[in-house]
Amino acid sequence: MRGLRILLIVVVILGALFVVVDRVAVHFAEGKAADKLKANEHLASSPDVSIKGFPFLTQVAGGSLDDVEVGIKSYDAATGKAGQTVRVDDLKADMKDVEFSSDYSSATAATATGTATVSYAELLKTAKPEPTEVIPGVTAKVVALSDGGNGKIKVAAKVTGTLGPLPIDQTVSVLSSVSVVNDKVEVHADSLPRLGAAAIAEDRMRAITDFQQAIDQLPGGIKLDKVQAAPDGVEISVKGSGVRLAG
């Protein structure tokens, strides 16, 4: 009995040591992965990397990780326009079945899904910045975007000019739907405003109210999937396959 008790104590101690070593190893690996991702994606600050599953060392021995979560506080995505970017906030990605090279220089996830937010101020950058003529003598431009409720975006446009003998200086608002079309966030007015009795061709007014925003070159090659309006901006869902975590 005494020998059995000693054996049990030894097993418990060894188990505890394994857990400690495993947790130290995973913490070290998370730090290295964060540094690699920061360098690869030219991030201003280190991302959060969390390697899920236990034990970590067993996963390493098998050459793949079951689940890795990555959080990036702020990321400047490409818009397709030279010198222009759009800031993506709170990007969180869940990467499954991450395989890495023998020297740990690269890692690729079989699949990835995630969420992020683009503020209305950032989305506004893509709306036409200069006034556009909608009818002779009258121009308009989008001046604000906000939450319209029920999944809609409220688009406010400033209209100025002269209609006949009457000066015009007013702000009109429309409720717009938001969706992903051809890998771009698209804002499309559900209905169009009237300027008093003035008839404005739909295509001329939509040239102001409707627009698209490309959000390209996201980390690891993930792509836009879905988008919906929210109180502080549009919430986007992303997904991808063969997503590069490092290398």
Side-chain angles (χ1 to χ4, degrees):
M1 290 296 293
R2 183 172 181 275
L4 180 59
R5 285 198 299 271
I6 293 173
L7 178 60
L8 289 174
I9 292 172
V10 170
V11 169
V12 170
I13 291 173
L14 290 177
L17 288 175
F18 176 78
V19 171
V20 171
V21 170
D22 190 81
R23 294 301 88 191
V24 170
V26 75
H27 182 72
F28 177 80
E30 288 170 345
K32 288 295 184 181
D35 291 342
K36 190 77 171 180
L37 187 57
K38 178 183 178 182
N40 285 354
E41 301 295 341
H42 308 291
L43 303 177
S45 60
S46 294
D48 294 324
V49 176
S50 179
I51 299 173
K52 303 299 182 179
F54 178 83
F56 167 70
L57 293 175
T58 301
Q59 296 182 68
V60 171
S64 67
L65 303 174
D66 297 335
D67 188 358
V68 178
E69 293 182 358
V70 176
I72 299 175
K73 185 175 182 180
S74 179
Y75 183 83
D76 290 330
T79 63
K81 298 178 182 179
Q84 186 183 80
T85 61
V86 58
R87 191 183 73 249
V88 178
D89 295 320
D90 298 323
L91 175 60
K92 296 179 176 64
D94 187 9
M95 302 187 176
K96 302 293 188 181
D97 300 324
V98 180
E99 295 188 354
F100 47 86
S101 61
S102 58
D103 62 355
Y104 307 108
S105 62
S106 65
T108 303
T111 61
T113 57
T115 59
T117 300
V118 178
S119 71
Y120 288 120
E122 286 293 306
L123 192 60
L124 182 61
K125 290 180 179 180
T126 195
K128 290 192 170 54
E130 300 298 330
T132 299
E133 189 174 69
V134 290
I135 56 176
V138 177
T139 61
K141 64 174 291 187
V142 174
V143 293
L145 301 175
S146 59
D147 181 24
N150 297 318
K152 303 294 183 180
I153 293 179
K154 183 179 180 181
V155 180
K158 181 76 170 178
V159 183
T160 57
T162 303
L163 185 61
L166 301 175
I168 295 178
D169 186 1
Q170 66 182 100
T171 300
V172 296
S173 298
V174 297
L175 290 178
S176 300
S177 298
V178 58
S179 59
V180 175
V181 178
N182 297 325
D183 296 325
K184 297 178 180 178
V185 175
E186 180 176 272
V187 177
H188 181 82
D190 295 345
S191 60
L192 297 173
R194 290 181 61 86
L195 300 179
I200 300 176
E202 180 173 328
D203 62 340
R204 296 298 297 164
M205 200 63 200
R206 286 199 180 278
I208 306 299
T209 61
D210 296 4
F211 58 91
Q212 291 184 331
Q213 172 65 73
I215 302 178
D216 294 332
Q217 299 177 22
L218 291 169
I222 54 178
K223 300 288 186 180
L224 293 178
D225 181 30
K226 299 176 183 178
V227 62
Q228 63 180 10
D232 298 324
V234 292
E235 295 178 348
I236 62 175
S237 298
V238 297
K239 67 178 182 179
S241 57
V243 176
R244 291 174 288 101
L245 180 61

